[in-house]
Amino acid sequence: MAELVNSAHCFDSPAAIELIAALKEQQPESAKQAGYFVYHLDALKAHLAELQRQDVIKLWFAVKANPLSTIIQTLEGAGFNFDVASTGELSQVLKQGVAPERILNTGPAKSKAQITSFIDQGVNVFVAESLNQLIWLNEAAIESKVKPQVLLRVQLQWPEGDKNPLGGNSLTPFGLSVAQWQSIRVTDFPDIEICGLHIFQWGNMLSNEKMFSLWSQMVPPLKQLAEDIGMALKILDLGGGLGIDYLQQGATLSWPQILIDLAIIKQQAAVEELWLELGRFAVAECGYYIAPVVDRKVNYGQEQLVLAAGINHLLRPAITEQPFPVDLLRTSSHEKQLFDIHGPLCTSMDKLGKHALPADVSVHDPLIFGYCGAYGFTESMPFFLCHHIAAEYVFSQGKLIEVRASQPADWYLR
């Protein structure tokens, strides 16, 4: 875990200040004891509008980041398309009124049955991650009398590279090597339109320079692959990977610079369309998680706080060693000191980081975590030890609205 997270400027934007003031007045009684998520929809709309003020790239939302109904509806209203990687995500997106032609099916575990089901429901754009998937797509297209667009996912390797949860330079199940894809010819699959390539291996990137360097290195081998297999390369999908500065170290990305860089990449690749699939970069900053302190103690000179919920609601710190920034929900004039923050689970993994908080933090005080609009509740492990399921709320036009109430374990236990 990081030794210290400076959370001050995570909560000092006008939108955050507005939300925190409202939560001090409107905290829902039913969720206070269990922990809950809240999403600032007005702030999200403003952010999405800023992302869409460009004509360089086509934007998709990676639903895995946050599949909540109101989040999807807000993104749909902002003109985003949707990247779904499971039948459950597809069902959730369709239920929000999203047209199937605005949906892209990704993911390494697509079966022939899933592909057929997606086509039957109107999905017409797919990323093929294996030779089997390519064969199944062609077969399903013949059976359903449609001609879907297909992008081939490519996995490249670099001599050097950082490790990260998406894989980076390590071998993953995402896509195939250039050599493997070179074994096919586009003319072998006449019933699908193989029109693009997909490349995405780096997660939570925080350097414009490094992202541009990686993108630039990708272009030559991808263009060569397209030529080798007889593809007219019309679409290049660079996935996502745009990062959030969870550790509050000032390493933030410049969106205007990203657009400048991508315009260059688009020209270098000579493609008609350049795609990005945004997850955390689209929604992380609109979301917060609130949980009360259950206990405070000192162990071997280290102050510890135990919360009503931990990685059962926020798993990400345990698997990335990047804790969400946190602050005390109420005002305090006390100096800050370091606390180890733990959840209630009977495992040492249940730690949300080492954070500086006011020295007078006490039992029953609610803590508020930032950047929880992405990879929050649905990436958590809510069933372990049978604690309450987290509630989810949206904050819009000054009002807190319940989307899902907190639920006890007997809601799912049988």
Side-chain angles (χ1 to χ4, degrees):
M1 289 286 179
E3 283 305 304
L4 172 61
V5 174
N6 176 13
S7 60
H9 65 278
C10 180
F11 303 103
D12 61 6
S13 70
I17 291 169
E18 176 195 25
L19 176 65
I20 290 169
L23 289 176
K24 290 176 181 177
E25 299 294 328
Q26 301 181 39
Q27 263 207 94
E29 291 295 332
S30 61
K32 278 184 181 180
Q33 303 306 313
Y36 62 95
F37 292 87
V38 58
Y39 311 102
H40 195 317
L41 292 189
D42 301 325
L44 177 58
K45 290 175 184 176
H47 176 57
L48 298 177
E50 179 65 25
L51 295 179
Q52 289 283 37
R53 277 195 281 272
Q54 48 83 24
D55 59 3
V56 178
I57 48 178
K58 182 175 183 177
L59 292 176
W60 303 77
F61 175 58
V63 176
K64 64 180 181 179
N66 192 331
L68 190 70
S69 56
T70 49
I71 296 292
I72 292 173
Q73 291 162 15
T74 303
L75 282 143
E76 196 274 339
F80 269 66
N81 305 283
F82 294 86
D83 158 23
V84 304
S86 70
T87 55
E89 287 186 350
L90 175 63
S91 175
Q92 174 71 338
V93 170
L94 291 175
K95 282 192 296 185
Q96 311 316 315
V98 176
E101 58 265 25
R102 291 174 60 188
I103 296 173
L104 165 68
N105 182 206
T106 63
K110 291 187 289 290
S111 65
K112 170 72 181 297
Q114 178 180 308
I115 289 168
T116 301
S117 174
F118 273 52
I119 288 176
D120 290 345
Q121 294 177 79
V123 177
N124 197 52
V125 188
F126 294 83
V127 172
E129 308 237 10
S130 70
L131 295 176
N132 280 333
Q133 288 185 17
L134 198 58
I135 293 167
W136 295 333
L137 279 161
N138 199 71
E139 292 173 349
I142 295 170
E143 294 162 5
S144 301
K145 297 181 174 59
V146 297
K147 191 165 187 175
Q149 287 187 311
V150 177
L151 283 68
L152 309 180
R153 182 161 186 174
V154 182
Q155 185 172 160
L156 296 177
Q157 288 190 322
W158 284 266
E160 298 177 0
D162 297 333
K163 303 293 184 186
N164 64 59
L166 193 62
N169 202 38
S170 59
L171 187 62
T172 74
F174 303 120
L176 290 175
S177 68
V178 168
Q180 286 294 106
W181 284 126
Q182 283 174 329
S183 69
I184 70 155
R185 293 294 177 271
V186 167
T187 52
D188 297 337
F189 303 91
D191 296 284
I192 57 179
E193 183 188 357
I194 303 176
C195 57
L197 297 174
H198 180 291
I199 177 85
F200 179 24
Q201 292 177 228
W202 301 89
N204 203 42
M205 295 290 292
L206 292 170
S207 165
N208 285 94
E209 293 77 11
K210 186 168 184 178
M211 288 192 70
F212 181 64
S213 174
L214 288 169
W215 286 333
S216 298
Q217 292 176 66
M218 294 171 185
V219 171
L222 295 180
K223 288 180 69 176
Q224 186 62 53
L225 171 61
E227 182 179 335
D228 291 344
I229 65 176
M231 178 202 299
L233 184 57
K234 299 177 182 178
I235 300 167
L236 180 57
D237 186 341
L238 295 173
L242 279 65
I244 293 293
D245 185 16
Y246 292 102
L247 301 182
Q248 300 288 274
Q249 296 175 335
T252 56
L253 292 173
S254 164
W255 178 246
Q257 185 61 51
I258 288 171
L259 295 177
I260 292 170
D261 292 344
L262 287 175
I264 296 171
I265 296 298
K266 189 175 184 179
Q267 184 178 41
Q268 290 176 345
V271 291
E272 297 174 8
E273 295 186 20
L274 195 62
W275 295 358
L276 278 187
E277 302 157 10
L278 301 184
R280 65 170 61 82
F281 198 78
V283 298
E285 292 189 29
C286 82
Y288 302 83
Y289 175 72
I290 296 89
V293 175
V294 171
D295 201 1
R296 174 177 175 172
K297 59 186 178 181
V298 178
N299 256 333
Y300 294 98
Q302 176 59 50
E303 290 275 5
Q304 295 177 311
L305 298 177
V306 182
L307 306 188
I311 61 174
N312 54 318
H313 290 176
L314 283 177
L315 180 62
R316 191 180 186 279
I319 58 177
T320 64
E321 296 188 351
Q322 291 182 337
F324 291 91
V326 64
D327 209 343
L328 191 59
L329 188 56
R330 65 172 170 82
T331 302
S332 173
S333 60
H334 283 67
E335 292 290 324
K336 290 190 174 183
Q337 65 182 68
L338 287 175
F339 292 88
D340 283 339
I341 300 182
H342 301 267
L345 305 185
C346 298
T347 168
S348 60
M349 288 178 58
D350 194 5
K351 184 177 180 182
L352 300 182
K354 185 186 291 288
H355 299 267
L357 291 168
D360 66 332
V361 61
S362 61
V363 172
H364 304 308
D365 270 332
L367 302 185
I368 180 168
F369 294 80
Y371 297 149
C372 296
Y375 305 116
F377 173 68
T378 56
E379 196 187 37
S380 64
M381 44 189 297
F383 308 125
F384 190 39
L385 265 76
C386 302
H387 285 279
H388 272 65
I389 300 293
E392 288 188 293
Y393 293 79
V394 294
F395 181 73
S396 180
Q397 299 181 339
K399 294 182 179 179
L400 200 63
I401 304 163
E402 183 181 85
V403 179
R404 185 191 63 250
S406 176
Q407 299 289 348
D410 59 13
W411 181 55
Y412 61 86
L413 289 176
R414 296 292 182 268

